[in-house]
Amino acid sequence: MSINTLELMDDYFHERDSSWEKYINQAVHEMVSTGIDLVSDGQTRDPFIQLFTRRLGGCRIRDRTEIVGPVEYRGPITVMDQKYVRSILPKKTGLLGVLTGPYTLTKSCVDLFYHDEKQLCFDFAVALRKEAEQLQEFVDVISIDEPFFSHGMPEFADELIGTITKHLSCPTRLHACGDVSGMVAQLVELPVDILSHEFKASPHLFDAFQEFPSSKNMCVGAVRSDDTCVEPVEEIISHIKKAFDIFGDRVVQIAPDCGQRLQPHDVAFQKLQRLVKAGAIINGR
Amino acid sequence: MFSFTHEQKVVEISGVHIGGQPGLHPTVLFGGVFFKGDPDFEDAKRHLQTLGELSKDTGVPVIPDFFIRKESFVESIIEFIEKTLPRHHPFSVDIIDPSIKIKTLEYLHEKKLLSRTIYNSIHIGSTKEEIETLTRHPPEAAIIVAFNPKDKSPDGKLEVLENGAHLTEKGLLTLAQEIGIKNILIDTAALAPGENSGAAIAAIPVIKEEYGLPTGCAIHNVVEKSIWLNEYPLVKKTVDVASNMNIPLFGGDYVIFGPIENVDFVVPLIAWQDILISEYAENYFGVVPDPSHPRRKLQR
């Protein structure tokens, strides 16, 4: 659903408060109607970097976010939206809280203040931890999105992610799309409950993970996010079966490889529907 | 008092200069005509006459800002402008509904009035059809409203000008340039108390330093939304008028001051403020005021 900017301006001219809930409602409703049983809030407000940096102290939005002071938590970022989503979700549907990871935030910003990547990473992590503490009251899983891990992980990744996840009461997930085959040794050591990767676009990840046995639960990417071709159900089933052969009952989630933001609406919808159908067949429903 | 390091653009719209370093040109006023109800042309005529006299006496340029709220008003209001305003006097058209905007642009084109027109306004809600019409019939100048519903701070206003805040395909400045708007004025989008109302004033020096473009706003809207002031009706009127001083004091170039009925109060007030600014700007920054400046006209 595209944002109705004319309506937003009409609210401005007529001095009315604008509500964003209808956009969240639409996104959530569509995800639920495909049959998937773990949904997010749709991240309708902003791209995934600005969504967080807009509300954090020390950040200034320009073409890219600029860091102009100490990064500080100033209050809930996604919490109110997640609370709203919880209020409209069917009881059986789970809610995924999504945090853009501290390393990805750091790599996406222009640092005009710290000149110390590690310190900036950890200040983002401390701020995100405060968000996570509130988020866990409303969501079933907290996912930390770190797409920049596919380009290389910092040596302090373990401590960095742990800053957010330590002692949280709800399960945590690390999502890193892209080809992470060179990073698996580090990934399996991260302090999260579930690892989520794009196994469909990068099937050689199965081999890479086989080299590093671990007890981590897995979220297996089973439809591509970078291709408009809608995968046949049989193809998805075959892919999931391969995942089961390798990870066994540690496969706890199947999902798209990554967010579907760039897909045409009908393509994204069909991909989710087929994913649900494949899951139902695998689960014997 | 401000002096900006970024080169400041001065636009000339049908003989009226807007922009530049503080103290160079007088602050330009926009007074609203036909705010409510059906247009009262006789009443408007009287106010326009007062406006012209005050402007001449003080050196403060006043541009009438014509509200066109219904499609059926378009032709009569434009014909009124054509007949009543002095031949080269600029004016602005202040319209919310996109279809009325389109019809107005087409009629202004037909009447050959676009060279005197300030289009109020381009913003994130400007429609494809409106943009196409603007491209076919570009007005002499346009006001861009830097309203960013995601971020009401000065940074948010810059963001919407720069890249559309991911609400539009491109930034509003690029959009206006692609349309072919030669003279761009930035409106910093005043918001109600509790909605970061001060940001509209704080954004003025920020935007002028960033782009050097003529900048202003309708800060009196904040007064209208300050409900508690209703307990003090006399003071409310004073505050409404006085609020406009904030704009030139923060380096702004133009003031959208609300109903034209207030012109008697606002013109001398702004003339006084312009003199204050000019004295310091010339003494400290060496900005010599234009011969038309109130300081030249009124300060003996």
Side-chain angles (χ1 to χ4, degrees), chain A:
Chain A
M1 186 183 190
S2 58
I3 305 303
N4 187 342
T5 52
L6 184 58
E7 189 177 78
L8 289 168
M9 283 311 295
D10 210 47
D11 288 341
Y12 164 73
F13 286 124
H14 292 99
E15 301 158 23
R16 292 188 297 256
D17 288 336
S18 297
S19 168
W20 208 265
E21 287 182 352
K22 70 175 175 185
Y23 301 115
I24 299 172
N25 202 326
Q26 174 88 12
V28 169
H29 173 75
E30 293 209 357
M31 285 186 273
V32 169
S33 67
T34 65
I36 59 171
D37 47 23
L38 184 63
V39 305
S40 72
D41 65 355
Q43 293 193 325
T44 56
R45 286 186 187 270
D46 254 326
F48 78 134
I49 300 298
Q50 289 89 341
L51 186 63
F52 287 86
T53 57
R54 194 180 293 288
R55 300 278 187 94
L56 291 172
C59 299
R60 180 172 76 181
I61 309 276
R62 290 288 186 269
D63 244 5
R64 290 167 67 191
T65 297
E66 296 174 353
I67 306 300
V68 294
V71 169
E72 289 167 344
Y73 189 67
R74 286 182 173 169
I77 299 169
T78 61
V79 176
M80 297 314 289
D81 285 350
Q82 296 289 10
K83 194 175 170 182
Y84 171 68
V85 175
R86 178 57 88 192
S87 76
I88 59 170
L89 267 191
K91 281 210 168 84
K92 64 179 175 119
T93 307
L95 182 55
L96 182 71
V98 182
L99 302 175
T100 304
Y103 189 64
T104 295
L105 288 174
T106 298
K107 287 292 192 184
S108 302
C109 293
V110 180
D111 177 14
L112 304 174
F113 178 75
Y114 284 82
H115 309 297
D116 178 343
E117 184 175 282
K118 185 176 177 183
Q119 188 58 51
L120 177 55
C121 276
F122 275 92
D123 280 3
F124 269 130
V126 168
L128 292 169
R129 162 73 190 191
K130 289 177 182 166
E131 176 75 357
E133 282 171 2
Q134 297 191 54
L135 210 48
Q136 65 183 339
E137 305 286 323
F138 304 102
V139 302
D140 299 295
V141 181
I142 290 178
S143 183
I144 301 165
D145 281 7
E146 283 286 20
F148 269 80
F149 276 4
S150 64
H151 303 298
M153 290 171 66
E155 67 205 20
F156 51 83
D158 186 84
E159 190 188 347
L160 186 68
I161 299 301
T163 301
I164 303 171
T165 60
K166 195 175 178 186
H167 301 316
L168 286 181
S169 60
C170 77
T172 55
R173 184 177 93 173
L174 185 286
H175 173 74
C177 50
D179 182 0
V180 293
S181 54
M183 274 46 103
V184 176
Q186 260 185 294
L187 286 168
V188 297
E189 297 300 325
L190 291 178
V192 291
D193 301 303
I194 306 165
L195 291 174
S196 166
H197 303 291
E198 56 165 49
F199 286 93
K200 186 62 178 158
S202 308
H204 58 281
L205 285 180
F206 285 127
D207 301 327
F209 270 89
Q210 271 186 309
E211 285 181 37
F212 298 94
S214 92
S215 58
K216 282 272 187 295
N217 285 331
M218 302 300 293
C219 172
V220 175
V223 292
R224 293 182 69 145
S225 297
D226 61 345
D227 187 346
T228 53
C229 175
V230 181
E231 294 85 346
V233 173
E234 298 72 29
E235 185 182 319
I236 301 170
I237 291 173
S238 160
H239 182 75
I240 297 168
K241 281 183 173 169
K242 186 173 182 182
F244 273 109
D245 289 343
I246 293 162
F247 300 120
D249 60 6
R250 290 193 291 118
V251 178
V252 294
Q253 295 171 355
I254 55 171
D257 272 347
C258 191
Q260 303 278 78
R261 184 183 286 273
L262 299 177
Q263 292 285 6
H265 177 268
D266 59 329
V267 171
F269 195 80
Q270 285 178 53
K271 279 179 181 265
L272 289 181
Q273 279 184 319
R274 293 198 182 172
L275 187 67
V276 169
K277 198 166 182 185
I281 291 168
I282 292 274
N283 287 323
R285 291 201 294 249

Side-chain angles (χ1 to χ4, degrees), chain B residues 71-92:
Chain B
E71 200 164 323
S72 58
F73 296 164
V74 171
E75 293 186 4
S76 59
I77 289 178
I78 290 174
E79 282 160 16
F80 172 77
I81 293 169
E82 190 184 26
K83 283 180 195 157
T84 314
L85 273 191
R87 204 165 160 192
H88 298 292
H89 202 88
F91 61 90
S92 59

Side-chain angles (χ1 to χ4, degrees), chain A residues 8-9 12, chain B residues 124 145-149 152 157 160 172 187 189 191:
Chain A
L8 289 168
M9 283 311 295
Y12 164 73
Chain B
I124 56 165
V145 178
F147 172 63
N148 180 352
K152 292 155 186 170
K157 296 173 197 299
V160 85
L172 295 180
D187 177 340
L191 292 159

Side-chain angles (χ1 to χ4, degrees), chain B residues 114 181 245:
Chain B
L114 285 168
I181 305 293
M245 295 170 81

